[in-house]
Amino acid sequence: MRSNALLTSPRRLAAAVALLAAGAAWPVLAANDLPPPKAGGDAMPPVQVTITAQNGAATCEPAELRLPANSDVALQVSNQSDERVTITAPQIFQNKNVLHHDGDVVHVASNDAYLVKARGTGEIRIRTIAPGQYTYGCTGVTAQSKPFEGKLTLVDPAR
């Protein structure tokens, strides 16, 4: 009875309704959602990755990417080839490390890659992982036997 008595007071009922209404305006985030990087804050300038085709095989430029470890990075991806290309970065492109993506890029089921539309462009904002040497690459969907493999070096930003 006492709990019902709290809501019978018009003043308390109005306060409860106001709290519920205010709570409905708050954004709801899933457990794995990460906030986007702060604009003008610690965000790094975008890093350009260009995909071309040579002799029927996809190639990523630069062949060696050097990025800060444990940092927010915006990858600007541009596919200049006439075919769809998968860009891979094991561990880096996992859902837990992707802050946002838009444009002509689609996250693939493997959780380690993005498919880039032919002649498409897009942005993939990621949170990089621990310092070290990793591989990244790209593969045309019609030339999967000819994958390109590049080097991804994540360095401690304090150094």
Side-chain angles (χ1 to χ4, degrees):
M1 279 282 204
R2 186 155 171 82
S3 62
N4 288 341
L6 290 175
L7 295 179
T8 57
S9 163
R11 203 170 50 195
R12 288 187 179 143
L13 182 59
V17 169
L19 283 174
L20 288 173
W26 294 341
V28 177
L29 298 175
N32 287 340
D33 286 350
L34 297 172
K38 296 176 187 149
D42 297 330
M44 177 182 173
V47 175
Q48 183 70 37
V49 175
T50 304
I51 302 167
T52 58
Q54 296 176 356
N55 301 323
T59 303
C60 290
E61 289 295 329
E64 294 186 31
L65 273 176
R66 187 175 173 92
L67 303 173
N70 301 311
S71 300
D72 295 344
V73 176
L75 295 177
Q76 299 287 330
V77 181
S78 174
N79 182 1
Q80 298 177 355
S81 75
D82 290 325
E83 72 173 306
R84 294 175 298 153
V85 175
T86 302
I87 183 169
T88 57
Q91 299 177 47
I92 306 291
F93 286 156
Q94 290 179 357
N95 279 334
K96 66 182 180 179
N97 296 324
V98 176
L99 302 169
H100 179 75
H101 67 88
D102 64 7
D104 299 323
V105 296
V106 177
H107 202 224
V108 298
S110 74
N111 202 26
D112 284 329
Y114 275 85
L115 182 66
V116 186
K117 177 174 126 175
R119 299 280 175 198
T121 60
E123 180 178 73
I124 307 166
R125 293 185 202 163
I126 57 172
R127 177 78 178 167
T128 58
I129 57 178
Q133 294 275 328
Y134 303 89
T135 59
Y136 92 101
C138 55
T139 307
V141 295
T142 59
Q144 294 180 7
S145 63
K146 301 176 186 177
F148 167 84
E149 189 173 289
K151 183 167 64 169
L152 174 60
T153 303
L154 298 180
V155 295
D156 185 351
R159 293 182 180 181

